[in-house]
Amino acid sequence: PGISDRPYQLAAVVRAARDAGATHVWASVVNLRPGTREHFLGHLPVALPVYLATRNPVLAFNLALLASWLGSALAMYALARRWTGSRLAAFGAGLTFAQVGHELQVVGATYLPLVPLFLDRWQEKRRAADLAALGVCLVLQALCSYYQGYAAFMILGLHAALLAVRG
């Protein structure tokens, strides 16, 4: 269930998890149906404080979703601005990238545009801070979603190869 779904759908998932013996809403693995596994640990910095303060899993989920959407837009804006130099193009890229999907797993691509951004910056100035930021982005992206983590490492490899060819 996502932000575009009705609230009772998320409530039904939470009830089913509780009935199955789950003790926490934000467990490391969420099993929605057999064969479907995903974790959202990278979203805990937003979701956990909200959940602990309100004990409302729907509010925590939706705020994590909103933060991920906004973060995706801002990250793509930063990358497009660096590559094109145009604020208008960067705004369009950020808006488009943020509209990829409405599920937390899909929208949780916040750190993907930051991988080539920090790799570019590190390649240009060789600052340790850029390399550290690249590492943090890779880890956080992998913690948001396995699938997005795979994509982040593929982007890193492809972009590093392009930089090596370009010199």
Side-chain angles (χ1 to χ4, degrees):
I3 199 166
S4 62
D5 296 328
R6 293 188 174 99
Y8 73 86
Q9 289 173 306
L10 181 58
V13 170
V14 171
R15 270 195 307 280
R18 189 176 301 138
D19 292 346
T23 58
H24 296 85
V25 173
W26 295 101
S28 62
V29 177
V30 176
N31 294 298
L32 299 179
R33 62 181 179 270
T36 303
R37 291 174 182 236
E38 191 54 90
H39 63 88
F40 302 118
L41 294 176
H43 299 288
L44 282 179
V46 173
L48 187 60
V50 173
Y51 177 73
L52 291 176
T54 66
R55 297 289 186 211
N56 184 336
V58 175
L59 178 63
F61 177 88
N62 285 330
L63 285 179
L65 189 63
L66 182 63
S68 181
W69 179 82
L70 181 59
S72 294
L74 292 173
M76 183 53 79
Y77 176 89
L79 177 63
R81 178 75 200 273
R82 177 173 178 80
W83 282 356
T84 67
S86 167
R87 288 183 179 155
L88 183 59
F91 178 80
L95 191 62
T96 302
F97 186 74
Q99 295 303 318
V100 168
H102 297 290
E103 298 295 327
L104 191 58
Q105 177 179 330
V106 176
V107 177
T110 302
Y111 304 99
L112 284 179
L114 298 177
V115 170
L117 175 71
F118 286 119
L119 184 58
D120 265 357
R121 288 175 45 163
W122 177 79
Q123 195 263 345
E124 180 183 312
K125 297 189 179 180
R126 304 285 184 197
R127 291 186 303 206
D130 290 325
L131 197 56
L134 171 63
V136 167
C137 288
L138 286 168
V139 168
L140 286 173
Q141 189 60 71
L143 289 175
C144 284
S145 164
Y146 288 129
Y147 305 109
Q148 298 295 340
Y150 299 148
F153 282 96
M154 286 180 16
I155 288 169
L156 174 65
L158 290 172
H159 196 72
L162 286 172
L163 288 175
V165 168
R166 192 171 74 185

